[in-house]
Amino acid sequence: MSLDSHIESVLWTPDQIAARVSELAAQISADHSPLSEPLVLVGVATGAFLFLADLARSLRLPVTVDFIRAESYGSGTVSSGSPRISSDLKLDVSGRHVVLVEDIVDSGSTIACLIAHLEAKGASSVSVCAFLDKPSRRKVHFQLLSKGKFYRGFECPDYFVVGYGMDFAELYRNLPYVGVLKPEHYK
Ligand SMILES: O=P(O)(O)OC[C@H]1O[C@H](OP(=O)(O)OP(=O)(O)O)[C@H](O)[C@@H]1O
Ligand SMILES: [Mg+2]
């Protein structure tokens, strides 16, 4: 079964995604060189899995990789507004420079919760690298401490998007592009 027929329009093609990921990786590499210890990439499961894999392979720095899981959407398209951390880090990030890797920042509640969590663990800096940023939907205006930076791939228009890691009801994550679903597929 192909899910391509469920897509109304493609917003970013695989080539556009690859080009932007390379630019982000170059910027992060330049900003974090040289480091005395490897940069810690923290992927936000599940949605960031493809972006993290692509970004990590483009970085020209030693990195360590871990995952964290925060849930707020369940199977719908609207955030509950109060994410909970359902799976924590394995690595100790105290004294380390961390980049939180997200597929999308939408209401901002997930990333705000995770930034606070990593800062409380004593990270030296917490930056955010989000493939997409949807500022039109922002409810929580997160702040980074002075050494943290916000890297974003693209500004996303006000659609619920799928593909390149992002799901609707756990489907569409493996599409190699980002697109908008046809209305009949939002149930
Ligand atoms: O800015 P927000 O409104 O908080 O939304 C963004 C978050 O929502 C999605 O994750 P979700 O909780 O759906 O889990 P998933 O990554 O497993 O899809 C997405 O991957 C981000 O982590
Ligand atoms: Mg999701």
Side-chain angles (χ1 to χ4, degrees), residues 44-48 69-74 76 79 83 102-111 114 137-138 165-167 170 173:
V44 185
T46 305
R69 182 180 295 277
E71 291 174 24
S72 59
Y73 278 79
S79 167
E102 259 290 28
D103 51 350
I104 186 165
V105 175
D106 193 311
S107 73
S109 61
T110 301
I111 204 69
L114 294 175
R137 285 272 158 182
R138 198 73 93 248
M166 290 169 282
D167 71 307
E170 296 298 334
R173 291 194 197 272

mmCIF file of all heavy atoms in Angstrom, residues 44-48 69-74 76 79 83 102-111 114 137-138 165-167 170 173, ligand 1:
data_model
loop_
_atom_site.group_PDB
_atom_site.id
_atom_site.type_symbol
_atom_site.label_atom_id
_atom_site.label_comp_id
_atom_site.label_asym_id
_atom_site.label_seq_id
_atom_site.Cartn_x
_atom_site.Cartn_y
_atom_site.Cartn_z
ATOM 1 N N VAL A 44 14.472 13.837 19.852
ATOM 2 C CA VAL A 44 13.171 13.730 20.518
ATOM 3 C C VAL A 44 12.355 12.674 19.769
ATOM 4 O O VAL A 44 11.944 12.871 18.619
ATOM 5 C CB VAL A 44 12.449 15.096 20.545
ATOM 6 C CG1 VAL A 44 11.155 14.980 21.337
ATOM 7 C CG2 VAL A 44 13.360 16.167 21.150
ATOM 8 N N ALA A 45 12.206 11.531 20.448
ATOM 9 C CA ALA A 45 11.519 10.397 19.825
ATOM 10 C C ALA A 45 10.003 10.682 19.782
ATOM 11 O O ALA A 45 9.490 11.357 20.661
ATOM 12 C CB ALA A 45 11.791 9.131 20.646
ATOM 13 N N THR A 46 9.333 10.212 18.823
ATOM 14 C CA THR A 46 9.827 9.429 17.710
ATOM 15 C C THR A 46 10.142 10.303 16.503
ATOM 16 O O THR A 46 10.960 9.964 15.638
ATOM 17 C CB THR A 46 8.760 8.379 17.294
ATOM 18 O OG1 THR A 46 8.402 7.588 18.395
ATOM 19 C CG2 THR A 46 9.232 7.500 16.153
ATOM 20 N N GLY A 47 9.478 11.453 16.448
ATOM 21 C CA GLY A 47 9.468 12.233 15.209
ATOM 22 C C GLY A 47 10.821 12.638 14.653
ATOM 23 O O GLY A 47 10.963 12.810 13.441
ATOM 24 N N ALA A 48 11.833 12.776 15.515
ATOM 25 C CA ALA A 48 13.129 13.295 15.042
ATOM 26 C C ALA A 48 14.036 12.219 14.463
ATOM 27 O O ALA A 48 15.169 12.524 14.088
ATOM 28 C CB ALA A 48 13.842 14.016 16.177
ATOM 29 N N ARG A 69 11.895 10.976 25.161
ATOM 30 C CA ARG A 69 10.537 10.911 24.618
ATOM 31 C C ARG A 69 9.603 11.757 25.471
ATOM 32 O O ARG A 69 9.586 11.617 26.691
ATOM 33 C CB ARG A 69 10.043 9.462 24.609
ATOM 34 C CG ARG A 69 8.661 9.275 24.012
ATOM 35 C CD ARG A 69 8.247 7.808 24.045
ATOM 36 N NE ARG A 69 9.090 6.987 23.191
ATOM 37 C CZ ARG A 69 8.916 6.837 21.875
ATOM 38 N NH1 ARG A 69 7.932 7.458 21.268
ATOM 39 N NH2 ARG A 69 9.725 6.068 21.184
ATOM 40 N N ALA A 70 8.882 12.655 24.821
ATOM 41 C CA ALA A 70 7.877 13.462 25.519
ATOM 42 C C ALA A 70 6.597 13.357 24.713
ATOM 43 O O ALA A 70 6.617 13.524 23.491
ATOM 44 C CB ALA A 70 8.331 14.910 25.606
ATOM 45 N N GLU A 71 5.513 13.088 25.361
ATOM 46 C CA GLU A 71 4.269 12.854 24.625
ATOM 47 C C GLU A 71 3.221 13.896 24.978
ATOM 48 O O GLU A 71 3.020 14.197 26.141
ATOM 49 C CB GLU A 71 3.738 11.460 24.938
ATOM 50 C CG GLU A 71 4.634 10.401 24.348
ATOM 51 C CD GLU A 71 4.250 8.989 24.743
ATOM 52 O OE1 GLU A 71 3.072 8.777 25.085
ATOM 53 O OE2 GLU A 71 5.139 8.127 24.714
ATOM 54 N N SER A 72 2.575 14.410 23.917
ATOM 55 C CA SER A 72 1.474 15.337 24.189
ATOM 56 C C SER A 72 0.359 15.258 23.162
ATOM 57 O O SER A 72 -0.715 15.784 23.385
ATOM 58 C CB SER A 72 1.984 16.773 24.259
ATOM 59 O OG SER A 72 2.590 17.135 23.066
ATOM 60 N N TYR A 73 0.602 14.590 22.034
ATOM 61 C CA TYR A 73 -0.408 14.615 20.966
ATOM 62 C C TYR A 73 -1.295 13.381 20.920
ATOM 63 O O TYR A 73 -2.366 13.425 20.334
ATOM 64 C CB TYR A 73 0.251 14.784 19.586
ATOM 65 C CG TYR A 73 0.564 16.215 19.290
ATOM 66 C CD1 TYR A 73 1.682 16.821 19.841
ATOM 67 C CD2 TYR A 73 -0.276 16.994 18.503
ATOM 68 C CE1 TYR A 73 1.971 18.145 19.600
ATOM 69 C CE2 TYR A 73 0.000 18.322 18.252
ATOM 70 C CZ TYR A 73 1.131 18.896 18.802
ATOM 71 O OH TYR A 73 1.409 20.211 18.567
ATOM 72 N N GLY A 74 -0.878 12.274 21.499
ATOM 73 C CA GLY A 74 -1.664 11.049 21.352
ATOM 74 C C GLY A 74 -1.877 10.765 19.876
ATOM 75 O O GLY A 74 -0.943 10.875 19.085
ATOM 76 N N GLY A 76 -4.053 12.528 17.921
ATOM 77 C CA GLY A 76 -4.756 13.643 17.298
ATOM 78 C C GLY A 76 -3.829 14.654 16.665
ATOM 79 O O GLY A 76 -2.643 14.393 16.466
ATOM 80 N N SER A 79 -2.174 19.557 20.393
ATOM 81 C CA SER A 79 -1.401 19.238 21.595
ATOM 82 C C SER A 79 -2.270 19.331 22.841
ATOM 83 O O SER A 79 -3.118 20.215 22.954
ATOM 84 C CB SER A 79 -0.235 20.234 21.720
ATOM 85 O OG SER A 79 0.343 20.136 22.996
ATOM 86 N N PRO A 83 3.043 18.289 28.008
ATOM 87 C CA PRO A 83 3.813 17.087 27.700
ATOM 88 C C PRO A 83 4.351 16.424 28.957
ATOM 89 O O PRO A 83 4.592 17.099 29.966
ATOM 90 C CB PRO A 83 4.972 17.596 26.848
ATOM 91 C CG PRO A 83 4.925 19.057 26.894
ATOM 92 C CD PRO A 83 3.672 19.509 27.544
ATOM 93 N N GLU A 102 14.768 18.166 17.025
ATOM 94 C CA GLU A 102 13.321 18.013 16.900
ATOM 95 C C GLU A 102 12.905 18.000 15.441
ATOM 96 O O GLU A 102 13.512 18.697 14.615
ATOM 97 C CB GLU A 102 12.619 19.206 17.572
ATOM 98 C CG GLU A 102 12.061 18.946 18.930
ATOM 99 C CD GLU A 102 10.843 18.013 18.936
ATOM 100 O OE1 GLU A 102 10.715 17.164 18.031
ATOM 101 O OE2 GLU A 102 10.047 18.124 19.855
ATOM 102 N N ASP A 103 11.845 17.279 15.138
ATOM 103 C CA ASP A 103 11.289 17.376 13.786
ATOM 104 C C ASP A 103 10.537 18.689 13.606
ATOM 105 O O ASP A 103 10.663 19.352 12.597
ATOM 106 C CB ASP A 103 10.389 16.167 13.474
ATOM 107 C CG ASP A 103 9.333 15.912 14.538
ATOM 108 O OD1 ASP A 103 9.382 16.529 15.621
ATOM 109 O OD2 ASP A 103 8.448 15.074 14.293
ATOM 110 N N ILE A 104 9.734 19.067 14.631
ATOM 111 C CA ILE A 104 8.927 20.286 14.478
ATOM 112 C C ILE A 104 8.674 20.918 15.841
ATOM 113 O O ILE A 104 8.451 20.215 16.827
ATOM 114 C CB ILE A 104 7.598 19.977 13.747
ATOM 115 C CG1 ILE A 104 6.810 21.259 13.458
ATOM 116 C CG2 ILE A 104 6.740 18.966 14.508
ATOM 117 C CD1 ILE A 104 5.687 21.069 12.435
ATOM 118 N N VAL A 105 8.757 22.248 15.872
ATOM 119 C CA VAL A 105 8.309 23.015 17.035
ATOM 120 C C VAL A 105 7.007 23.687 16.615
ATOM 121 O O VAL A 105 6.981 24.456 15.648
ATOM 122 C CB VAL A 105 9.360 24.058 17.469
ATOM 123 C CG1 VAL A 105 8.812 24.912 18.601
ATOM 124 C CG2 VAL A 105 10.645 23.363 17.913
ATOM 125 N N ASP A 106 5.940 23.347 17.313
ATOM 126 C CA ASP A 106 4.598 23.795 16.929
ATOM 127 C C ASP A 106 4.065 24.700 18.041
ATOM 128 O O ASP A 106 4.411 25.888 18.075
ATOM 129 C CB ASP A 106 3.745 22.526 16.703
ATOM 130 C CG ASP A 106 2.425 22.773 16.016
ATOM 131 O OD1 ASP A 106 1.704 23.685 16.452
ATOM 132 O OD2 ASP A 106 2.075 22.053 15.066
ATOM 133 N N SER A 107 3.308 24.183 18.999
ATOM 134 C CA SER A 107 2.860 25.044 20.109
ATOM 135 C C SER A 107 4.041 25.484 20.975
ATOM 136 O O SER A 107 3.973 26.483 21.685
ATOM 137 C CB SER A 107 1.840 24.308 20.983
ATOM 138 O OG SER A 107 2.484 23.320 21.763
ATOM 139 N N GLY A 108 5.139 24.710 20.941
ATOM 140 C CA GLY A 108 6.327 25.015 21.749
ATOM 141 C C GLY A 108 6.319 24.319 23.098
ATOM 142 O O GLY A 108 7.313 24.379 23.825
ATOM 143 N N SER A 109 5.232 23.634 23.436
ATOM 144 C CA SER A 109 5.166 23.070 24.795
ATOM 145 C C SER A 109 6.152 21.912 24.975
ATOM 146 O O SER A 109 6.761 21.781 26.039
ATOM 147 C CB SER A 109 3.739 22.664 25.162
ATOM 148 O OG SER A 109 3.260 21.702 24.295
ATOM 149 N N THR A 110 6.332 21.086 23.945
ATOM 150 C CA THR A 110 7.267 19.957 24.084
ATOM 151 C C THR A 110 8.697 20.475 24.274
ATOM 152 O O THR A 110 9.406 20.064 25.209
ATOM 153 C CB THR A 110 7.210 19.043 22.842
ATOM 154 O OG1 THR A 110 5.873 18.562 22.696
ATOM 155 C CG2 THR A 110 8.173 17.883 22.959
ATOM 156 N N ILE A 111 9.108 21.395 23.410
ATOM 157 C CA ILE A 111 10.507 21.826 23.481
ATOM 158 C C ILE A 111 10.754 22.625 24.763
ATOM 159 O O ILE A 111 11.827 22.500 25.374
ATOM 160 C CB ILE A 111 10.914 22.608 22.196
ATOM 161 C CG1 ILE A 111 12.418 22.527 21.999
ATOM 162 C CG2 ILE A 111 10.442 24.033 22.174
ATOM 163 C CD1 ILE A 111 12.941 21.185 21.625
ATOM 164 N N LEU A 114 11.353 20.157 27.463
ATOM 165 C CA LEU A 114 12.640 19.452 27.346
ATOM 166 C C LEU A 114 13.830 20.363 27.641
ATOM 167 O O LEU A 114 14.819 19.928 28.242
ATOM 168 C CB LEU A 114 12.769 18.838 25.949
ATOM 169 C CG LEU A 114 11.756 17.724 25.680
ATOM 170 C CD1 LEU A 114 11.852 17.255 24.234
ATOM 171 C CD2 LEU A 114 11.962 16.558 26.634
ATOM 172 N N ARG A 137 1.584 28.870 15.378
ATOM 173 C CA ARG A 137 0.850 28.052 16.361
ATOM 174 C C ARG A 137 1.412 28.169 17.776
ATOM 175 O O ARG A 137 1.002 27.434 18.682
ATOM 176 C CB ARG A 137 0.922 26.577 15.956
ATOM 177 C CG ARG A 137 0.039 26.255 14.811
ATOM 178 C CD ARG A 137 -1.341 25.905 15.328
ATOM 179 N NE ARG A 137 -2.316 26.100 14.281
ATOM 180 C CZ ARG A 137 -3.610 25.914 14.443
ATOM 181 N NH1 ARG A 137 -4.081 25.539 15.604
ATOM 182 N NH2 ARG A 137 -4.430 26.113 13.452
ATOM 183 N N ARG A 138 2.401 29.047 17.953
ATOM 184 C CA ARG A 138 3.119 29.057 19.227
ATOM 185 C C ARG A 138 2.222 29.466 20.389
ATOM 186 O O ARG A 138 1.513 30.471 20.314
ATOM 187 C CB ARG A 138 4.312 30.012 19.139
ATOM 188 C CG ARG A 138 5.320 29.747 20.224
ATOM 189 C CD ARG A 138 6.132 28.455 19.994
ATOM 190 N NE ARG A 138 7.366 28.746 19.285
ATOM 191 C CZ ARG A 138 7.595 28.340 18.047
ATOM 192 N NH1 ARG A 138 6.734 27.614 17.387
ATOM 193 N NH2 ARG A 138 8.737 28.643 17.460
ATOM 194 N N GLY A 165 9.642 11.791 9.254
ATOM 195 C CA GLY A 165 9.557 11.548 10.688
ATOM 196 C C GLY A 165 8.215 11.891 11.309
ATOM 197 O O GLY A 165 7.839 11.332 12.336
ATOM 198 N N MET A 166 7.512 12.809 10.680
ATOM 199 C CA MET A 166 6.263 13.304 11.306
ATOM 200 C C MET A 166 5.067 12.459 10.907
ATOM 201 O O MET A 166 4.948 12.019 9.758
ATOM 202 C CB MET A 166 6.056 14.773 10.925
ATOM 203 C CG MET A 166 7.072 15.671 11.612
ATOM 204 S SD MET A 166 7.095 17.341 10.983
ATOM 205 C CE MET A 166 8.019 17.115 9.476
ATOM 206 N N ASP A 167 4.201 12.268 11.889
ATOM 207 C CA ASP A 167 3.089 11.324 11.709
ATOM 208 C C ASP A 167 1.733 11.995 11.832
ATOM 209 O O ASP A 167 1.600 13.080 12.395
ATOM 210 C CB ASP A 167 3.161 10.238 12.788
ATOM 211 C CG ASP A 167 2.789 10.776 14.175
ATOM 212 O OD1 ASP A 167 3.385 11.794 14.594
ATOM 213 O OD2 ASP A 167 1.883 10.214 14.811
ATOM 214 N N GLU A 170 0.500 7.908 13.914
ATOM 215 C CA GLU A 170 1.652 7.000 13.756
ATOM 216 C C GLU A 170 1.944 6.585 12.314
ATOM 217 O O GLU A 170 2.887 5.837 12.073
ATOM 218 C CB GLU A 170 1.532 5.751 14.647
ATOM 219 C CG GLU A 170 1.561 6.061 16.144
ATOM 220 C CD GLU A 170 2.872 6.721 16.600
ATOM 221 O OE1 GLU A 170 3.907 6.508 15.955
ATOM 222 O OE2 GLU A 170 2.838 7.470 17.592
ATOM 223 N N ARG A 173 5.366 8.477 8.743
ATOM 224 C CA ARG A 173 6.688 8.927 9.205
ATOM 225 C C ARG A 173 7.781 8.632 8.179
ATOM 226 O O ARG A 173 8.771 9.349 8.105
ATOM 227 C CB ARG A 173 7.064 8.218 10.512
ATOM 228 C CG ARG A 173 6.226 8.631 11.721
ATOM 229 C CD ARG A 173 6.910 8.144 12.976
ATOM 230 N NE ARG A 173 6.057 8.111 14.151
ATOM 231 C CZ ARG A 173 5.871 9.136 14.984
ATOM 232 N NH1 ARG A 173 6.452 10.285 14.741
ATOM 233 N NH2 ARG A 173 5.104 9.013 16.046
HETATM 234 O O1 LIG B 1 5.468 22.158 19.793
HETATM 235 P P1 LIG B 1 4.493 21.105 20.176
HETATM 236 O O2 LIG B 1 3.055 21.562 19.995
HETATM 237 O O3 LIG B 1 4.717 20.523 21.519
HETATM 238 O O4 LIG B 1 4.621 19.923 19.098
HETATM 239 C C1 LIG B 1 5.835 19.385 18.648
HETATM 240 C C2 LIG B 1 6.031 17.981 19.126
HETATM 241 O O5 LIG B 1 4.922 17.156 18.758
HETATM 242 C C3 LIG B 1 5.358 16.044 18.000
HETATM 243 O O6 LIG B 1 5.645 14.973 18.824
HETATM 244 P P2 LIG B 1 4.541 13.988 19.451
HETATM 245 O O7 LIG B 1 4.308 14.367 20.862
HETATM 246 O O8 LIG B 1 3.342 13.930 18.538
HETATM 247 O O9 LIG B 1 5.294 12.619 19.439
HETATM 248 P P3 LIG B 1 6.007 11.876 18.192
HETATM 249 O O10 LIG B 1 7.305 12.576 17.966
HETATM 250 O O11 LIG B 1 6.171 10.485 18.669
HETATM 251 O O12 LIG B 1 5.098 12.002 16.998
HETATM 252 C C4 LIG B 1 6.628 16.523 17.357
HETATM 253 O O13 LIG B 1 7.445 15.421 17.040
HETATM 254 C C5 LIG B 1 7.246 17.389 18.425
HETATM 255 O O14 LIG B 1 7.993 16.617 19.355
#
